[in-house]
Amino acid sequence: MKTKIVYSEKCLGYGAWHIEGPERVKIASEILKEKGYEFLEPTPATEEDLLTVHDSDYLWKLKKGLVEDADTPAYDNIYEYARLSVGGALLASKINGFSLMRPPGHHVGRNGAALGAYTRGFCYINNIAVAVKKLDQKTLILDIDGHHGNGTQEIFQDDEKVVYLSLHQSPNYPGTGATSEGNCINFSLPLDYGGQLYLKTLDKAMSMVDPGKVEMIAVSCGFDTHLGDLASLGLVEHDYWEIGKRVARMKKPAFFVLEGGYVGKNVGLDIDSLLRGYEENR
Ligand SMILES: [Zn+2]
Protein backbone atom coordinates (compact mmCIF):
# COMPACT_ATOMS: atom_id res chain seq x y z
CA MET A 1 0.00 0.00 0.00
CA LYS A 2 1.24 3.44 -0.93
CA THR A 3 2.26 5.65 2.00
CA LYS A 4 0.03 8.69 2.38
CA ILE A 5 1.46 12.20 2.32
CA VAL A 6 0.37 14.60 5.07
CA TYR A 7 0.41 18.12 3.73
CA SER A 8 -1.32 21.49 3.88
CA GLU A 9 -0.70 24.42 1.55
CA LYS A 10 -0.99 26.60 4.63
CA CYS A 11 2.66 25.78 5.35
CA LEU A 12 3.69 27.83 2.30
CA GLY A 13 2.71 31.11 3.94
CA TYR A 14 6.01 32.30 5.41
CA GLY A 15 9.68 32.82 4.60
CA ALA A 16 9.72 33.17 0.81
CA TRP A 17 13.16 34.83 1.00
CA HIS A 18 14.73 32.25 3.30
CA ILE A 19 16.60 29.11 2.23
CA GLU A 20 14.09 27.15 4.34
CA GLY A 21 11.42 28.56 2.03
CA PRO A 22 8.06 27.38 0.67
CA GLU A 23 9.34 26.30 -2.76
CA ARG A 24 11.12 23.27 -1.36
CA VAL A 25 7.89 21.63 -0.22
CA LYS A 26 5.64 23.14 -2.89
CA ILE A 27 7.67 21.59 -5.71
CA ALA A 28 8.01 18.32 -3.79
CA SER A 29 4.23 18.18 -3.26
CA GLU A 30 3.59 18.69 -6.98
CA ILE A 31 5.97 15.85 -7.88
CA LEU A 32 4.33 13.49 -5.37
CA LYS A 33 0.81 14.40 -6.57
CA GLU A 34 1.87 13.65 -10.12
CA LYS A 35 3.13 10.27 -8.96
CA GLY A 36 -0.28 9.42 -7.57
CA TYR A 37 0.22 9.71 -3.82
CA GLU A 38 -2.86 10.33 -1.72
CA PHE A 39 -2.71 13.53 0.35
CA LEU A 40 -4.23 14.20 3.77
CA GLU A 41 -4.62 17.56 5.56
CA PRO A 42 -3.32 17.84 9.11
CA THR A 43 -4.96 19.82 11.91
CA PRO A 44 -2.86 21.92 14.31
CA ALA A 45 -1.40 20.27 17.39
CA THR A 46 -2.76 21.55 20.70
CA GLU A 47 -0.69 23.42 23.25
CA GLU A 48 -1.02 20.38 25.48
CA ASP A 49 0.68 18.32 22.76
CA LEU A 50 3.58 20.80 22.57
CA LEU A 51 3.99 20.76 26.35
CA THR A 52 4.94 17.08 26.19
CA VAL A 53 8.31 18.33 24.85
CA HIS A 54 8.70 22.09 25.40
CA ASP A 55 8.52 24.28 28.50
CA SER A 56 5.55 26.63 28.85
CA ASP A 57 7.84 29.72 29.03
CA TYR A 58 9.37 28.79 25.73
CA LEU A 59 5.95 28.37 24.10
CA TRP A 60 4.75 31.66 25.56
CA LYS A 61 7.67 33.50 23.97
CA LEU A 62 7.12 31.79 20.66
CA LYS A 63 3.46 32.80 20.72
CA LYS A 64 4.48 36.41 21.30
CA GLY A 65 6.97 36.22 18.44
CA LEU A 66 9.89 36.66 20.82
CA VAL A 67 12.38 34.75 18.73
CA GLU A 68 15.90 36.15 18.72
CA ASP A 69 17.93 33.93 16.54
CA ALA A 70 20.42 34.55 13.74
CA ASP A 71 19.06 31.98 11.29
CA THR A 72 15.53 31.27 12.58
CA PRO A 73 13.43 34.40 11.98
CA ALA A 74 10.53 35.70 14.08
CA TYR A 75 7.94 35.38 11.31
CA ASP A 76 4.40 36.64 11.91
CA ASN A 77 2.26 33.82 13.32
CA ILE A 78 5.17 31.38 13.37
CA TYR A 79 3.63 29.68 16.42
CA GLU A 80 0.59 28.77 14.31
CA TYR A 81 2.73 27.49 11.45
CA ALA A 82 4.76 25.44 13.89
CA ARG A 83 1.61 24.01 15.50
CA LEU A 84 0.32 22.87 12.12
CA SER A 85 3.67 21.29 11.27
CA VAL A 86 3.54 19.33 14.53
CA GLY A 87 -0.02 18.35 13.60
CA GLY A 88 1.45 16.90 10.39
CA ALA A 89 3.88 14.76 12.36
CA LEU A 90 1.11 13.62 14.71
CA LEU A 91 -1.15 12.57 11.85
CA ALA A 92 1.74 10.82 10.07
CA SER A 93 2.49 8.90 13.26
CA LYS A 94 -1.12 7.65 13.42
CA ILE A 95 -1.42 6.53 9.80
CA ASN A 96 2.20 5.53 9.15
CA GLY A 97 2.43 8.37 6.67
CA PHE A 98 4.92 10.97 5.53
CA SER A 99 4.56 14.53 6.84
CA LEU A 100 5.63 16.97 4.13
CA MET A 101 5.30 20.01 6.36
CA ARG A 102 7.46 22.93 7.43
CA PRO A 103 8.97 24.39 9.59
CA PRO A 104 11.28 21.47 10.36
CA GLY A 105 12.03 20.51 13.97
CA HIS A 106 15.03 18.36 14.84
CA HIS A 107 17.41 21.17 15.89
CA VAL A 108 15.19 22.62 18.57
CA GLY A 109 15.39 21.32 22.12
CA ARG A 110 13.13 21.82 25.09
CA ASN A 111 13.81 25.56 25.30
CA GLY A 112 15.28 26.50 21.94
CA ALA A 113 18.85 26.08 20.73
CA ALA A 114 20.12 22.72 21.96
CA LEU A 115 23.36 21.18 23.27
CA GLY A 116 25.29 24.44 23.05
CA ALA A 117 24.35 25.31 19.45
CA TYR A 118 24.09 29.03 18.75
CA THR A 119 20.81 28.92 16.86
CA ARG A 120 17.67 26.82 16.35
CA GLY A 121 18.59 25.95 12.77
CA PHE A 122 15.25 26.99 11.14
CA CYS A 123 13.27 25.01 13.79
CA TYR A 124 10.68 26.23 16.35
CA ILE A 125 8.99 23.12 17.73
CA ASN A 126 10.43 19.63 17.55
CA ASN A 127 7.76 17.95 15.43
CA ILE A 128 9.01 14.40 15.58
CA ALA A 129 9.71 14.62 19.31
CA VAL A 130 6.10 15.55 20.04
CA ALA A 131 4.84 12.69 17.87
CA VAL A 132 7.16 10.20 19.60
CA LYS A 133 6.18 11.43 23.08
CA LYS A 134 2.50 11.20 22.26
CA LEU A 135 2.80 7.67 20.86
CA ASP A 136 4.58 6.58 24.04
CA GLN A 137 5.96 3.41 22.46
CA LYS A 138 9.47 2.00 22.29
CA THR A 139 10.78 4.01 19.36
CA LEU A 140 13.80 4.14 17.12
CA ILE A 141 14.24 7.67 15.83
CA LEU A 142 16.29 7.34 12.67
CA ASP A 143 17.60 10.77 11.70
CA ILE A 144 18.84 10.77 8.12
CA ASP A 145 19.02 14.55 7.75
CA GLY A 146 22.55 15.68 6.88
CA HIS A 147 22.78 17.71 10.09
CA HIS A 148 22.87 16.23 13.57
CA GLY A 149 19.48 16.46 15.31
CA ASN A 150 20.83 18.12 18.43
CA GLY A 151 17.35 19.09 19.64
CA THR A 152 16.03 15.56 19.37
CA GLN A 153 19.10 14.16 21.13
CA GLU A 154 18.73 16.69 23.96
CA ILE A 155 15.04 15.81 24.41
CA PHE A 156 15.53 12.03 24.44
CA GLN A 157 18.98 11.69 26.04
CA ASP A 158 18.75 8.79 28.55
CA ASP A 159 15.08 8.14 27.72
CA GLU A 160 14.71 4.39 28.13
CA LYS A 161 11.95 4.14 25.56
CA VAL A 162 13.87 5.80 22.74
CA VAL A 163 16.95 5.04 20.69
CA TYR A 164 18.17 7.99 18.64
CA LEU A 165 20.33 7.18 15.64
CA SER A 166 21.84 9.85 13.42
CA LEU A 167 24.11 9.82 10.40
CA HIS A 168 25.25 13.33 9.60
CA GLN A 169 27.90 15.34 7.82
CA SER A 170 30.72 16.93 9.79
CA PRO A 171 32.11 19.53 10.20
CA ASN A 172 28.82 21.35 9.78
CA TYR A 173 26.04 23.04 11.77
CA PRO A 174 25.28 22.50 14.69
CA GLY A 175 28.66 20.99 15.57
CA THR A 176 27.21 18.31 17.89
CA GLY A 177 26.94 14.54 17.51
CA ALA A 178 30.64 13.77 17.19
CA THR A 179 30.30 10.75 19.48
CA SER A 180 27.59 8.43 20.70
CA GLU A 181 26.18 8.94 24.18
CA GLY A 182 24.07 6.28 25.84
CA ASN A 183 20.87 5.78 23.88
CA CYS A 184 22.00 8.30 21.22
CA ILE A 185 24.10 6.71 18.48
CA ASN A 186 25.92 9.14 16.21
CA PHE A 187 27.96 8.73 13.08
CA SER A 188 29.58 11.89 11.72
CA LEU A 189 30.69 11.50 8.13
CA PRO A 190 32.80 13.62 5.78
CA LEU A 191 31.47 15.81 2.97
CA ASP A 192 30.37 13.84 -0.11
CA TYR A 193 31.05 10.51 1.59
CA GLY A 194 29.17 8.66 -1.16
CA GLY A 195 26.19 6.30 -1.30
CA GLN A 196 28.03 3.02 -0.96
CA LEU A 197 29.95 4.00 2.15
CA TYR A 198 26.88 5.72 3.56
CA LEU A 199 24.74 2.59 3.24
CA LYS A 200 27.49 0.46 4.76
CA THR A 201 27.57 2.84 7.72
CA LEU A 202 23.78 2.76 7.99
CA ASP A 203 23.85 -1.06 8.06
CA LYS A 204 26.42 -0.97 10.83
CA ALA A 205 24.43 1.65 12.75
CA MET A 206 21.16 -0.26 12.47
CA SER A 207 22.84 -3.48 13.58
CA MET A 208 23.59 -1.70 16.88
CA VAL A 209 19.88 -1.31 17.60
CA ASP A 210 18.20 -4.09 19.57
CA PRO A 211 15.01 -4.89 17.61
CA GLY A 212 13.38 -5.94 20.87
CA LYS A 213 13.55 -2.31 21.96
CA VAL A 214 11.68 -1.04 18.92
CA GLU A 215 7.91 -0.97 18.45
CA MET A 216 7.92 1.98 16.06
CA ILE A 217 10.41 3.66 13.74
CA ALA A 218 10.17 7.44 13.43
CA VAL A 219 12.27 8.73 10.55
CA SER A 220 13.53 12.30 10.75
CA CYS A 221 13.65 12.62 7.03
CA GLY A 222 16.02 15.25 5.71
CA PHE A 223 17.27 15.31 2.15
CA ASP A 224 20.14 17.78 2.48
CA THR A 225 22.47 14.77 2.27
CA HIS A 226 21.68 14.87 -1.47
CA LEU A 227 24.72 15.66 -3.62
CA GLY A 228 25.25 19.42 -3.66
CA ASP A 229 22.80 20.32 -0.86
CA LEU A 230 23.68 21.98 2.48
CA ALA A 231 25.08 18.89 4.20
CA SER A 232 25.96 16.77 1.20
CA LEU A 233 26.99 13.20 1.78
CA GLY A 234 26.97 12.72 -1.97
CA LEU A 235 23.71 10.75 -2.04
CA VAL A 236 21.64 10.42 -5.20
CA GLU A 237 18.01 9.45 -5.75
CA HIS A 238 18.53 5.67 -5.68
CA ASP A 239 20.37 5.81 -2.36
CA TYR A 240 17.11 6.89 -0.71
CA TRP A 241 15.44 3.75 -2.12
CA GLU A 242 18.14 1.78 -0.32
CA ILE A 243 17.49 3.70 2.91
CA GLY A 244 13.76 2.95 2.61
CA LYS A 245 14.57 -0.74 2.12
CA ARG A 246 16.60 -0.75 5.33
CA VAL A 247 13.72 0.82 7.28
CA ALA A 248 11.36 -1.84 5.91
CA ARG A 249 13.74 -4.65 6.85
CA MET A 250 13.23 -3.96 10.55
CA LYS A 251 9.65 -5.17 10.12
CA LYS A 252 8.18 -2.55 12.42
CA PRO A 253 5.63 0.15 11.67
CA ALA A 254 7.19 3.46 10.64
CA PHE A 255 6.36 7.08 9.92
CA PHE A 256 8.31 9.86 8.32
CA VAL A 257 8.68 13.57 9.10
CA LEU A 258 10.37 16.05 6.77
CA GLU A 259 13.38 17.92 8.12
CA GLY A 260 15.81 19.64 5.71
CA GLY A 261 16.46 19.37 1.97
CA TYR A 262 16.60 22.62 0.09
CA VAL A 263 16.15 21.73 -3.59
CA GLY A 264 12.44 21.03 -4.10
CA LYS A 265 12.85 18.78 -7.12
CA ASN A 266 15.34 16.57 -5.30
CA VAL A 267 13.14 16.50 -2.19
CA GLY A 268 10.13 15.27 -4.22
CA LEU A 269 12.04 12.63 -6.16
CA ASP A 270 13.99 11.45 -3.12
CA ILE A 271 10.80 11.05 -1.04
CA ASP A 272 9.26 8.95 -3.81
CA SER A 273 12.42 6.86 -4.04
CA LEU A 274 12.60 6.33 -0.27
CA LEU A 275 8.93 5.39 0.02
CA ARG A 276 9.16 2.96 -2.90
CA GLY A 277 12.20 1.34 -1.31
CA TYR A 278 10.21 1.06 1.90
CA GLU A 279 7.02 -0.30 0.33
CA GLU A 280 8.69 -2.75 -2.04
CA ASN A 281 10.59 -4.41 0.81
CA ARG A 282 8.00 -4.65 3.54
ZN1 LIG B 1 19.68 19.44 7.71
Side-chain angles (χ1 to χ4, degrees):
M1 205 175 72
K2 231 174 154 113
T3 305
K4 293 187 176 73
I5 307 293
V6 177
Y7 178 67
S8 165
E9 284 185 357
K10 285 179 188 158
C11 82
L12 305 177
Y14 73 92
W17 54 276
H18 198 280
I19 184 161
E20 195 290 286
E23 286 295 299
R24 49 188 291 267
V25 295
K26 182 170 185 281
I27 293 168
S29 73
E30 287 162 2
I31 289 170
L32 294 168
K33 270 181 194 152
E34 231 164 73
K35 290 188 180 287
Y37 285 87
E38 190 182 324
F39 277 59
L40 291 177
E41 282 263 345
T43 53
T46 63
E47 185 163 338
E48 200 188 340
D49 295 332
L50 309 186
L51 284 167
T52 59
V53 166
H54 297 281
D55 285 352
S56 55
D57 281 4
Y58 175 72
L59 297 178
W60 184 84
K61 283 185 192 155
L62 195 59
K63 254 189 252 177
K64 300 275 176 202
L66 300 171
V67 180
E68 279 183 45
D69 193 293
D71 65 19
T72 315
Y75 297 112
D76 287 348
N77 301 319
I78 190 62
Y79 178 74
E80 295 305 324
Y81 288 111
R83 245 168 24 104
L84 189 58
S85 188
V86 178
L90 287 172
L91 180 53
S93 75
K94 286 174 194 147
I95 61 161
N96 302 114
F98 189 111
S99 177
L100 182 65
M101 292 291 289
R102 58 189 284 267
H106 74 151
H107 291 307
V108 74
R110 180 164 283 277
N111 289 301
L115 300 182
Y118 289 106
T119 74
R120 298 170 215 193
F122 319 156
C123 303
Y124 303 86
I125 301 285
N126 198 313
N127 306 308
I128 204 162
V130 176
V132 168
K133 286 270 191 193
K134 292 283 292 183
L135 276 178
D136 196 28
Q137 289 179 307
K138 293 181 203 163
T139 303
L140 166 64
I141 301 176
L142 174 62
D143 190 330
I144 60 164
D145 188 272
H147 301 94
H148 180 237
N150 53 324
T152 311
Q153 172 159 335
E154 184 202 87
I155 291 160
F156 292 106
Q157 186 75 64
D158 301 326
D159 187 322
E160 284 180 2
K161 276 198 160 168
V162 173
V163 176
Y164 175 76
L165 174 55
S166 173
L167 271 64
H168 46 268
Q169 196 250 307
S170 173
N172 203 324
Y173 176 87
T176 53
T179 55
S180 298
E181 286 171 64
N183 62 325
C184 298
I185 305 169
N186 290 312
F187 286 84
S188 54
L189 307 173
L191 181 72
D192 293 339
Y193 195 48
Q196 258 188 331
L197 288 171
Y198 178 94
L199 293 166
K200 241 185 178 175
T201 310
L202 182 59
D203 285 336
K204 182 180 164 193
M206 289 181 86
S207 76
M208 294 164 75
V209 179
D210 175 358
K213 288 189 171 171
V214 181
E215 294 168 312
M216 173 64 82
I217 306 173
V219 186
S220 241
C221 233
F223 298 93
D224 45 17
T225 47
H226 194 110
L227 185 67
D229 207 326
L230 284 192
S232 175
L233 286 171
L235 303 193
V236 294
E237 198 181 316
H238 182 71
D239 294 321
Y240 296 95
W241 188 94
E242 292 286 344
I243 295 171
K245 178 168 107 177
R246 283 157 174 81
V247 175
R249 268 197 203 148
M250 285 199 84
K251 304 288 175 207
K252 307 283 179 180
F255 68 99
F256 307 84
V257 179
L258 183 69
E259 302 288 356
Y262 299 93
V263 181
K265 190 180 165 201
N266 291 343
V267 173
L269 294 175
D270 292 345
I271 290 173
D272 175 54
S273 185
L274 185 140
L275 292 179
R276 279 188 293 108
Y278 175 63
E279 286 149 13
E280 289 165 21
N281 291 285
R282 259 191 299 179

